[in-house]
Each structure stands twice: as C-alpha cells, then as structure tokens.
C-alpha cells in the first residue's frame, strides 16, 4: 500500500509542477504588453502548426532512413570457409510452451551444422516449475549439436547466470543470445556471422526484433508493435548520434573472447543486457546494428505482464544510469545519460509536460493542435513499423490504424511505469523478476 500511495503522490506532484509552471508562464504573458497578448492570440496557432509540420517532417525523415536500413541492408559476401563457429545460448525458465519451437527455428537456419552449436541453459527445480528440463534433454538427444545445460550452483536463478554458466562450454567464436520465445529468421545467423567475418573490429552486433502473435487477444492487438518500435528505433537513433547503441538481450551476438574479457553478464542486474552495453561502451568495443537480422518474439499478453516487464526494464535502466554515470570520461558520462536518461528524467519530464499543456489548454493559451504535436511523431514511428510489417506479410490495415491513433498514447502510460520504477528504487524495494505468461 505504501508503494502505491507514494507512487500516486509523486505522479500528482509532477503533474501539479507542470500546471504551476503553466500558471507562471500564463500570468507572465498576460501581465506583459499588448504585443505579447497579440502574439498569443494571433501568432500562436500558426506557430503551433509550423512546429507540428517541422516535427512530422523530421520524424518522417529519420523514420524513412530507418526503414531503408531495415529493408535494403545487404549481407556481406563471404566464402564458406569464412563462416565462423557460432554458439547460440537460449536461457530458459518455465519455457515448456516455447523452447522447442525456438530450437527448431535455429536448427532450420541456413547455417552449416558443423559450425553451429545450441546450448539450452535451463533452470532446475525448485526455480523451474514446468517440464522445460525434460524438453531440453529431448532436444539434445534429437540434435547432435544441441546441449542441455542445467543452471546449478552459484549461477542459478537469473538469465545472466544461465548464460555465464555456459560460457566455458561454448565452442563458438561468436556467442548468440536468444530468449526462448523467439523464432529466428532462416538467414539471421548467417548474416550475423558475415558481419563479424568481414569486420574484425566488431565486438557486438544487434538485430531487429519483430513482435508476433499481435492478434492473440485484445490487449496484444492494442499494444502490438510498441516494444519493437521502442527497441529498434531507440537503438537506431543512439547508434546514429553516438556511434553505439543500447543492447537488447535477444537476437544479440558478441565475440566470446570479448564477453570473457569484460567478465560476462552482471548477474545482480535487473537488465543484464543494458549493463553489458555499458561495459562495451566504456571499453570502447565496436558495436553495430543490422536490421536485416530478424527475430520474432511474443508480446506481453496481459496488462500486468506488460506493466511488470516494463517496470523491470526501467528500474534496470535506472540502476545502470546510477552505476555508470559516476566514473569514466566526460564523453562517457554524456553517452550514458543520452542512452538511459529517457527512461528516468525524460519520463518525469513527460508528466510535468502533460500538466503544463493541460493548464495552458484550459486557460486558452494553447490550441488543440498541441495535442497533435505531442502524438504525431510517435504516430509516424508506429505507423512506419506497421507498414513494414504489412509489406512483409505479418501486419494488417487494422494494425496500422491502431498504430496511428492509439499506440502513441501508450508511451505516456509508460511515464507512469517510469515513475513507479523510480519510487521502488528510492524506497529500496526488493527487486522481483516476474515470469511473463506465454502463448
């Protein structure tokens, strides 16, 4: 109850801060000269319209560039003897519904069997409460290049621990990570290997995540590609402006020797992928994105699954921001802030902004065009992702309509997620990793 009360209080305070800022601006303008009042009533509508056009244009330009990179990125040409030994690690906790489908997609990939190894890093009872260990064992018996490795001893209980537990057994030069709910595109592994083979300085490579089963129920249809847009476009923007990107923990590839040098994954982190990304950045390892490397993941299928997952993401991002913003060079601190502040200070500011806009609308200073300014950039992003999905055969017209008119507002619900995560961190609450339901 205390968590909820503090959470509600913080949201109310932030909203009122925005309203208070709006009142200060409002009275400053109307106590000023006749010229300022003329600016408000005669010029403000045109100014807001101009801002809307510029925002839509800028967002549209970067979205167009992103789509082109997703659709037209060519795979580097390599000979068969250049294909690198690859180990795919699939961490699995209570994944009886999905693990077989994931492994089957890896076995069907266009990759030489003798150079591909798949390790199912599964938890054991009492942490695991379903038949995942038995299914993993059967898959290992079915395929000679599949291993089932139980996560015991000091590593057990986390995805990071499951991966670290397997590193000493991995034979590949490149380590790939896939969550058990993913279905991998047939050419994904070969594309990843080609990038490493032709780029000796490349240490870490991320691929594109696409949401599948969006029509499973009303909630999945509503949120749809929300997580894909956040993950893919945010990584694209960070790579574009900083030369490095936030690491997403699935459809991820990294050189084994690099992963060992930086000490593997941090098993104490809520978001071990974010932490890995910061280790790589601070050590100046080469990172890149290839959006033609595609993998299809399941969405959160209930509101509470969605909420808990995003609280963990945001809470983990806060921890990473606190951990890595302390040391390093000035540029390193700037990069850390740019990478992870959107999930913390940016979220707080969005609620303050909503309070400011609400007050100014109520007082008649701003016109309803301001609402379009708030949502149009997001509408462009969501619509673009839906159009790409539709062109690739797994989208729909209804999905595009929802992307334009509904999903942009989900980002503002994300603001509440961020505030809740900040409250939990400030109150030093126990970090709980909730298992999401699977389809």
């Amino acid at each position: 109850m205390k968590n909820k009360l503090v959470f509600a209080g913080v949201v109310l305070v932030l909203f009122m801060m925005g309203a208070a800022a709006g009142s200060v601006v409002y009275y400053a303008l109307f106590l000023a000269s006749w010229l300022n009042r003329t600016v408000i009533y005669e010029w403000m509508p045109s100014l807001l319209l101009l801002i809307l056009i510029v925002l839509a244009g800028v967002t549209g330009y970067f979205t167009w560039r992103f789509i082109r990179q997703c659709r037209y990125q060519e795979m580097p040409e390599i000979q068969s003897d250049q294909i690198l030994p690859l180990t795919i690690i699939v961490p699995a906790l209570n994944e009886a519904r999905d693990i077989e489908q994931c492994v089957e997609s890896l076995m069907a990939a266009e990759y030489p069997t003798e150079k591909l190894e798949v390790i199912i890093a599964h938890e054991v009872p009492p942490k695991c409460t379903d038949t995942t260990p038995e299914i993993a064992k059967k898959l290992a018996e079915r395929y000679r290049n599949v291993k089932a490795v139980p996560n015991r001893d000091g590593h057990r209980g986390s995805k990071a621990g499951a991966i670290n537990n397997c590193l000493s057994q991995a034979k590949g030069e490149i380590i790939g990570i896939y969550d058990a709910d993913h279905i991998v595109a047939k050419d994904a592994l070969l594309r990843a290997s080609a990038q490493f083979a032709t780029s000796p300085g490349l240490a870490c490579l991320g691929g594109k995540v696409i949401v599948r089963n969006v029509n499973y129920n009303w909630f999945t249809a509503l949120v749809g590609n929300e997580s894909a847009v956040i993950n893919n476009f945010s990584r694209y923007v960070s790579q574009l402006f900083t030369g490095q990107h936030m690491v997403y923990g699935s459809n991820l590839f990294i050189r084994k020797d690099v992963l060992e040098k930086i000490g593997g994954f941090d098993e104490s982190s809520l978001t071990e992928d974010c932490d890995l990304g910061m280790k790589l950045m601070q050590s100046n390892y080469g990172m890149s994105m290839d959006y033609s490397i595609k993998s299809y993941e399941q969405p959160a299928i209930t509101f509470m699954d969605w909420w808990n997952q995003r609280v963990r993401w945001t809470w983990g991002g806060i921890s990473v921001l606190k951990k890595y913003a302390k040391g390093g060079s000035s540029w390193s601190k700037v990069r850390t802030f740019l990478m992870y502040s959107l999930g913390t200070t940016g979220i707080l500011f969005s609620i303050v902004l909503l309070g400011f806009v609400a007050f100014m609308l109520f007082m008649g200073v701003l016109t309803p065009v301001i609402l379009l300014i708030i949502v149009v950039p997001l509408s462009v992003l969501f619509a673009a992702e839906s159009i790409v999905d539709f062109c690739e055969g797994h989208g729909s017209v209804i999905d595009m309509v929802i992307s334009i008119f509904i999903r942009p507002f989900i980002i503002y619900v994300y603001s509440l997620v961020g505030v809740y995560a900040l409250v939990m961190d400030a109150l030093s609450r126990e970090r709980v990793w909730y298992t999401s339901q699977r389809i």
Side-chain angles (χ1 to χ4, degrees), residues 90-102 130 132 159 178-183 211-213 216-217 220 227 248-250 296-302 305-306 309-310 312-313 433-439:
V90 184
L93 169 62
N94 294 336
E95 296 286 2
R97 290 189 176 186
D98 298 295
I99 186 65
E100 185 169 3
Q101 191 176 27
C102 176
D130 69 3
T132 298
K159 175 181 175 180
Y178 280 101
D179 289 341
D181 65 312
H182 278 240
I183 295 177
V211 177
R212 61 189 176 96
N213 297 329
Y216 176 73
N217 60 26
T220 59
S227 62
Y248 183 62
S250 192
Y296 303 84
E297 69 175 7
Q298 290 189 14
I301 63 175
T302 68
D305 280 350
W306 179 90
Q309 187 181 57
R310 279 139 188 80
R312 179 176 65 82
W313 288 351
W433 194 328
Y434 296 94
T435 302
S436 297
Q437 300 178 60
R438 298 300 193 198
I439 298 173

Side-chain angles (χ1 to χ4, degrees), residues 65-82:
R65 288 187 56 176
F66 173 63
I67 292 174
R68 282 184 59 85
Q69 186 168 341
C70 290
R71 298 190 65 186
Y72 303 112
Q73 192 161 350
E74 295 183 1
M75 182 174 67
E77 293 185 7
I78 57 172
Q79 302 300 317
S80 58
D81 59 348
Q82 292 180 282

Side-chain angles (χ1 to χ4, degrees), residues 101-401:
Q101 191 176 27
C102 176
V103 172
E104 293 287 0
S105 74
L106 290 166
M107 291 297 99
E110 299 167 349
Y111 210 84
T113 304
E114 67 276 9
K115 292 190 176 184
L116 176 63
E117 175 185 53
V118 175
I119 299 178
I120 305 171
H122 64 85
E123 295 293 332
V124 296
K127 183 75 173 179
C128 178
T129 58
D130 69 3
T131 59
T132 298
E134 289 79 6
I135 297 173
K137 184 178 179 181
K138 289 179 181 178
L139 288 167
E141 293 171 350
R142 186 184 308 169
Y143 299 105
R144 61 184 178 86
N145 57 337
V146 174
K147 295 179 182 178
V149 178
N151 187 24
R152 295 192 175 99
D153 303 324
H155 292 292
R156 65 182 178 182
S158 69
K159 175 181 175 180
I163 297 171
N164 290 341
N165 185 50
C166 296
L167 288 181
S168 61
Q169 302 183 45
K171 298 177 181 178
E173 292 181 29
I174 308 300
I175 302 294
I177 310 295
Y178 280 101
D179 289 341
D181 65 312
H182 278 240
I183 295 177
V184 183
K186 287 183 177 294
D187 63 347
L189 306 186
L190 192 58
R191 284 180 173 275
S193 182
Q195 291 286 0
F196 282 102
T198 56
S199 304
L202 179 62
C204 181
L205 177 68
K208 184 181 181 183
V209 178
I210 301 169
V211 177
R212 61 189 176 96
N213 297 329
V214 293
N215 295 321
Y216 176 73
N217 60 26
W218 70 269
F219 183 76
T220 59
L222 183 68
V223 298
N225 57 14
E226 166 256 349
S227 62
V229 170
I230 292 173
N231 287 325
N232 295 326
F233 195 77
S234 62
R235 288 184 293 164
Y236 167 75
V237 171
S238 61
Q239 183 78 38
L240 183 66
F241 288 104
T242 70
Q244 293 171 311
H245 64 269
M246 295 175 287
V247 170
Y248 183 62
S250 192
N251 203 12
L252 168 69
F253 302 86
I254 183 171
R255 294 189 188 272
K256 181 183 176 182
D257 61 339
V258 171
L259 187 55
E260 290 175 333
K261 285 178 183 177
I262 61 176
F265 286 86
D266 183 353
E267 298 179 27
S268 66
S269 177
L270 270 178
T271 48
E272 72 291 324
D273 48 358
C274 294
D275 189 86
L276 175 73
M278 290 309 305
K279 285 182 180 180
L280 293 168
M281 289 179 207
Q282 293 213 331
S283 299
N284 293 315
Y285 281 110
M287 303 170 68
S288 184
M289 290 292 306
D290 185 340
Y291 294 97
S292 66
I293 301 173
K294 298 176 182 178
S295 181
Y296 303 84
E297 69 175 7
Q298 290 189 14
I301 63 175
T302 68
F303 175 77
M304 287 311 302
D305 280 350
W306 179 90
W307 177 271
N308 290 329
Q309 187 181 57
R310 279 139 188 80
V311 167
R312 179 176 65 82
W313 288 351
T314 310
W315 197 348
I318 294 167
S319 300
V320 169
L321 182 63
K322 289 164 62 178
K323 178 179 177 180
Y324 289 98
K326 295 177 182 178
S329 64
S330 297
W331 171 234
S332 176
K333 292 179 180 179
V334 170
R335 280 189 305 184
T336 303
F337 181 79
L338 290 174
M339 295 287 186
Y340 295 104
S341 62
L342 182 60
T344 53
T345 54
I347 283 172
L348 296 180
F349 176 74
S350 65
I351 297 180
V352 174
L353 176 64
L354 290 176
F356 179 86
V357 169
F359 181 86
M360 298 299 269
L361 276 172
F362 179 76
M363 300 305 294
V365 177
L366 297 177
T367 69
V369 174
I370 190 66
L371 299 178
L372 292 177
I373 291 175
I374 292 174
V375 301
V376 160
L378 296 172
S379 295
V380 173
L381 293 180
F382 281 111
E385 188 76 27
S386 291
I387 291 170
V388 172
D389 290 346
F390 183 80
C391 293
E392 294 181 353
H394 49 267
S396 66
V397 174
I398 294 176
D399 185 68
M400 284 188 277
V401 172

